[in-house]
Every structure is written in structure tokens, then in C-alpha cells.
Amino acid sequence: MDLLSHFLSMLKIESTSISCWHLSEPWGVAVRNYQPGFAFIVTEGGFVVETALGQTLHLAKGDTLLAPRGGDCRLVSHAGAATTDLYDLNWSESRSPRLDRSAQPGSAISVAHGGGGAACRLLGLAFSIHSGQGGFVLAALPDFIVLREADNSILNLMRPTIEALLADDQPGYYAVARPMAELIVVGLLRSYILSDKGFSPGWMKGLQDPYVCKAMLAIHEAPQRQWSVPLLAAVANLSRSTFAARFNRLVGQSPIDYLGTWRVTLAAEMLRDGKASVVQIAAAVGYQSDRVFRQAFRERMGVSPREYRNQHLA
């Protein structure tokens, strides 16, 4: 498996919902305190996004807005338009648009809003990603991503299926819609990562370098191995000094620090999801001493492994 596939496979999407938005100018929607990730794909017209940090993003037909972790923003027909709160819109179902893991709708949820002018139609996706290894991926992504139609060939191929999902109200809808929504989300993230937009140092920048990429993949495939910089340099087929400098420059941390971060990420997931003891987990992720593991975990997570597990059990 290549490294990008490995990272994308870490994204365990726990739940999704699909919505169809029928909007007409002038219109505006305020998204506040919305924690699930969301995406809007423009199927007709266009709109403007005003983020809480003062960014203004313009989207046209075929473009996509992706907020991997959710976030506050204003979706408007034009800059400065008045807004209605997301939860006050006239939804087709009585329940709120919050992502509900127990809900299995029989068709796409729809909403109509606006003043009756020029039309804008959106496909909305809300999704929840498991915070374990998926959190490792999400932490490197910006709050808001805009993908242009030309940058997203897979989504373009899926458009007929998307249109069919929006109109489908037949039995079995949810069984088809959920995996399709997951495929769309993963496809959007893949398109962004492959877009090479001058990423800051991190795993996405390291992914673009064939030498560093080999070492990162080795770490992810065998985190329990007693890796050293010379061993990883040999995997990358570089000298020790060249490899160490290259890794630091692209990934933003030393190879051993990156290894430690990945080990703690795996350990945190095991602490949340399993019943293995701290000693067993320490050994499983490559620590020969549970004392060293406890220290490394506290340095990165701010609490001890036992405290972390108790917090999540609570």
C-alpha cells in the first residue's frame, strides 16, 4: 500500500448525512458551533463563504467547500448578506440538521431558503470521523478547503450518481447513500492532498518527497520496530545526515519525534477502544519500558495513559 492510501485508510467515517439545498438570492446561512465535518458541492449557481477568521471564499458551479473538522462561517449569496441560523431553516424533516448517528433517512434531507431571486443548488454532506488515527490526518488540514471543478476529476465522474442520490426516495436509499458519501469525502481529501498547494512542513509535505516518503511508510507499517535514524536513512537510501536534514525540513520534526508521535497516536486509540493493559500497549507500539512510554505519552497528551483512558471511559 502506498503512503497516501495508508493515510486515507486511517479515516474511519462513523456517520454521514446528505442534504439538498435549494437557495435563491438574496440568502445567507450562519453556521455556528457545528462540530461534524461538512462539505458543500455546488451543482447550480454559486455562493460566498465568510469565515470567522475573515477569509472570503468564492465558489462557482462545480466547486466544493470542505471543512474537515467543521467550524463557524457564513454561507451567503453575496458578501455581507443577512443570515439565518442553520438550525432555524425550514428543513424537510422535523429533526435538526445536527449529525445524528442513529438516524437512517429514507432520502436526502432538503432545505429551501432565500428571497426568490437567482437560484443556487448545493449538495451538502455532514460527516463524523473517528478521532483516533483519523485525528492524526485531520490535524494537518486547514479549517476550510476549496476544491475547484478542474482539480477534482473523481467527483466530476460521480456527478450523475450524486444527482441520483438527491432525487432518490426509494427503499434501500440509506444503504447506498452512506458508502457513497464516505467515498465522496475521502475522494475530496485525496484531491486536496494531491493538489500540491505549497503545504507547510508536515506529513503532507513529506508525502511528496520519494525519499522521506519511504521512511514514513516504514514507520507506519512497523511502529513497534526499534527504529534509529541510520536505519530509517537506509530505508530512504540516503546518508544519515542528508536524511535527517531532509526529514526535519519537510516534516517539521525529527524522524524519531515523528515516530514517537505516531506511536502515541496508536496507543491513544488502543487505550480508548481496547482492554489491553498499559504495559501491553507500551510493548505493542514499540516501547521496551512502560515507564518510558508513560513519560512519552504524558509529554504529548498532557495526561498519563491511565488518566487518558479514564477520561474517555467517563
Side-chain angles (χ1 to χ4, degrees), residues 212-233:
V212 170
C213 185
K214 287 181 182 178
M216 291 170 65
L217 182 58
I219 287 172
H220 282 262
E221 288 183 333
Q224 76 285 354
R225 185 173 176 183
Q226 298 307 301
W227 291 110
S228 63
V229 173
L231 281 175
L232 290 168

Side-chain angles (χ1 to χ4, degrees), residues 5-6 17 61 82 106 147 158 170 183 187 234 241 245 259 264 306:
S5 293
H6 170 77
S17 70
K61 182 178 180 180
L147 288 165
M158 295 170 62
Q170 299 297 311
L183 177 60
S241 58
L259 170 63
V264 167
R306 190 176 303 280

Side-chain angles (χ1 to χ4, degrees), residues 18-286:
I18 298 177
S19 55
C20 182
W21 296 57
H22 301 276
L23 305 162
S24 58
E25 294 186 2
W27 62 269
V29 177
V31 180
R32 299 188 184 94
N33 301 318
Y34 195 75
Q35 293 308 311
F38 60 83
F40 289 103
I41 301 166
V42 185
T43 58
E44 181 182 349
F47 72 102
V48 177
V49 183
E50 297 173 343
T51 73
L53 295 179
Q55 289 177 292
T56 300
L57 310 171
H58 296 264
L59 287 89
K61 182 178 180 180
D63 295 343
T64 299
L65 172 71
L66 177 63
R69 296 176 296 274
D72 293 357
C73 63
R74 286 163 33 95
L75 314 175
V76 292
S77 58
H78 60 273
T83 59
T84 300
D85 193 273
L86 175 69
Y87 303 107
D88 294 331
L89 297 177
N90 184 24
W91 293 89
S92 62
E93 297 193 16
S94 58
R95 61 190 176 87
S96 77
R98 289 189 184 276
L99 189 59
D100 184 350
R101 292 186 177 90
S102 64
Q104 298 183 3
S107 62
I109 305 167
S110 65
V111 61
H113 179 61
C120 174
R121 193 161 70 111
L122 308 176
L123 166 67
L125 298 173
F127 54 90
S128 172
I129 295 179
H130 190 271
S131 60
Q133 296 180 36
F136 185 91
V137 176
L138 292 178
L141 299 172
D143 292 335
F144 294 97
I145 296 168
V146 174
L147 288 165
R148 302 302 178 187
E149 183 175 22
D151 298 330
N152 204 350
S153 57
I154 290 181
L155 185 59
N156 292 333
L157 293 173
M158 295 170 62
R159 287 197 181 281
T161 305
I162 293 171
E163 293 294 334
L165 280 176
L166 293 176
D168 189 354
D169 61 356
Q170 299 297 311
Y173 160 84
Y174 185 77
V176 175
R178 177 171 177 171
M180 183 60 64
E182 293 176 358
L183 177 60
I184 292 171
V185 172
V186 173
L188 291 172
L189 289 171
R190 177 177 180 263
S191 294
Y192 172 70
I193 294 168
L194 290 174
S195 66
D196 186 13
K197 296 186 180 298
F199 300 127
S200 300
W203 64 261
M204 285 191 293
K205 199 168 186 68
L207 189 72
Q208 297 170 343
D209 183 272
Y211 301 100
V212 170
C213 185
K214 287 181 182 178
M216 291 170 65
L217 182 58
I219 287 172
H220 282 262
E221 288 183 333
Q224 76 285 354
R225 185 173 176 183
Q226 298 307 301
W227 291 110
S228 63
V229 173
L231 281 175
L232 290 168
V235 170
N237 200 26
L238 294 171
S239 71
R240 182 190 184 283
S241 58
T242 299
F243 167 72
R246 195 181 190 109
F247 197 103
N248 269 283
R249 175 169 54 85
L250 295 175
V251 182
Q253 58 185 150
S254 73
I256 300 306
D257 283 342
Y258 182 86
L259 170 63
T261 300
W262 179 236
R263 283 175 169 173
V264 167
T265 298
L266 294 175
E269 187 167 39
M270 295 172 71
L271 287 164
R272 285 194 306 270
D273 299 340
K275 298 181 179 179
S277 69
V278 171
V279 173
Q280 290 171 324
I281 291 173
V285 298

